[in-house]
Amino acid sequence: MTTTPPDFVPFALPDIGEEEIAEVVACLRSGWITTGPRAQQFEHDLAAFLGGGVEAVAVNSATAGLHLALEAAGISAGDEVIVPTLTFTATAEVVRYLGAHPRIVDVDAATMNLTAAAVDAAAGTATKAVVPVHMAGLACDMDALGAAAARHRLSVIEDAAHALPSEHAGKLVGTHGSTATVFSFYANKTITTGEGGAVVTADPAIAARCRTMRLHGIDRDAFARYAGSQSGWYYEVVAPGFKYNLTDLAAAIGLHQLRKLPRFQARREALARRYREAFADLPLTLPHAGAPGDRHAWHLFIVRLHDDAPLGRDAFIAAMAARGIACSVHFIPLHRHPYWRDAYGLTPAMFPNAEAIFRGTVSLPLFTRMTDADQERVIDAVRRLLR
Ligand SMILES: *Cc1c(COP(=O)(O)O)cnc(C)c1O
């Protein structure tokens, strides 16, 4: 039973079909429900989808993956890691897990992404890494960021939670030669495993360290141990690791989500196209769609209401909710949250672009199960409120 009115348009919905359901049931019946053959297959399929000689390490969240990737890159207490302010707190919190400090910087006004210039301005002697975030699914300029990172000898850990299957300069995010790229399979991301994530890298040493540390610092995973050779009971602990493995139950969902990704992407692109044409004459800034050669994953469709719009952002979201349409805000910048603000003495004046973005920013519903009729309802409401 649901109490949601039938004409309510949610902000996002997972797109789970009979294939995922049957695979989860088969997994349950198989007797192997934690990390095993399905997680291994999912890693194989994700690496094959991305290409570029990468391998994938499946984990139980992108947050876990970011933590593992930074640890594998050697980030430790007292180090500094450059992080954009316009992101989810997970991007920065993992830096604190390691006793290191995020150096929180402003983003580009048009793309909402981290720039090479910001990296050049922020990098100091303690800076060891940078974490670009591909905001909403618009790829960062990885050529420029990679060059800036090289100038300052920084590891690059991409937060690609929004960016499957984004492309920069004709190449998928995850294949640009960074230290590691981390994807999220949280419930509302472009593909989901309920909760889940993956670290992707072309560096075998980074992959090996992530594999070890995702399961207690043990040198082999449970499947290899129990289903492997005669000495399957033997293992060695080589580090105080974490419990970050992806279960086969979750991977069972991911196997089919990944196969559906091209169809999901086509639907997201069609929804984004329709929004863009429907809002072209309104007092708002449409999301940056990417340079030629880029592909936007359209995880989010973020518009920015102009200061002269008939109503402000908060009133707009309330009015949309009153019409049965759920909107959201991505993100409240890190520098506005009490912890980050107080721990690092951050003020709004340090982040003029993120402040200007935040003032008018609204994320509209965009998900693959959204019908054309759902979208026309959203468009009609937006046009009535803003025209
Ligand atoms: C969702 C998200 C994460 C965290 O992903 P989880 O899989 O939920 O840990 C990290 N960074 C950004 C930008 C996100 O949107």
Side-chain angles (χ1 to χ4, degrees), residues 61-63 87-88 90-91 133 159 161-162 184 186 189 196 331:
S61 72
T63 307
T87 187
F88 185 55
T91 314
V133 177
D159 181 338
H162 301 179
S184 173
Y186 180 67
K189 299 285 161 65
F331 291 94

Side-chain angles (χ1 to χ4, degrees), residues 141-171:
D141 184 343
M142 290 314 300
D143 301 322
L145 282 172
R151 280 196 288 281
H152 305 285
R153 299 172 175 277
L154 309 179
S155 298
V156 181
I157 310 294
E158 297 173 58
D159 181 338
H162 301 179
L164 188 67
S166 302
E167 292 181 13
H168 168 67
K171 270 168 58 184

Side-chain angles (χ1 to χ4, degrees), residues 75-93:
I75 303 307
S76 63
D79 289 345
E80 203 174 75
V81 177
I82 297 170
V83 170
T85 189
L86 200 68
T87 187
F88 185 55
T89 193
T91 314
E93 81 192 31

Side-chain angles (χ1 to χ4, degrees), residues 4 48 89 194 206 259 302 368:
T4 313
T89 193
I206 294 286
R259 285 174 204 166
I302 301 177
T368 56

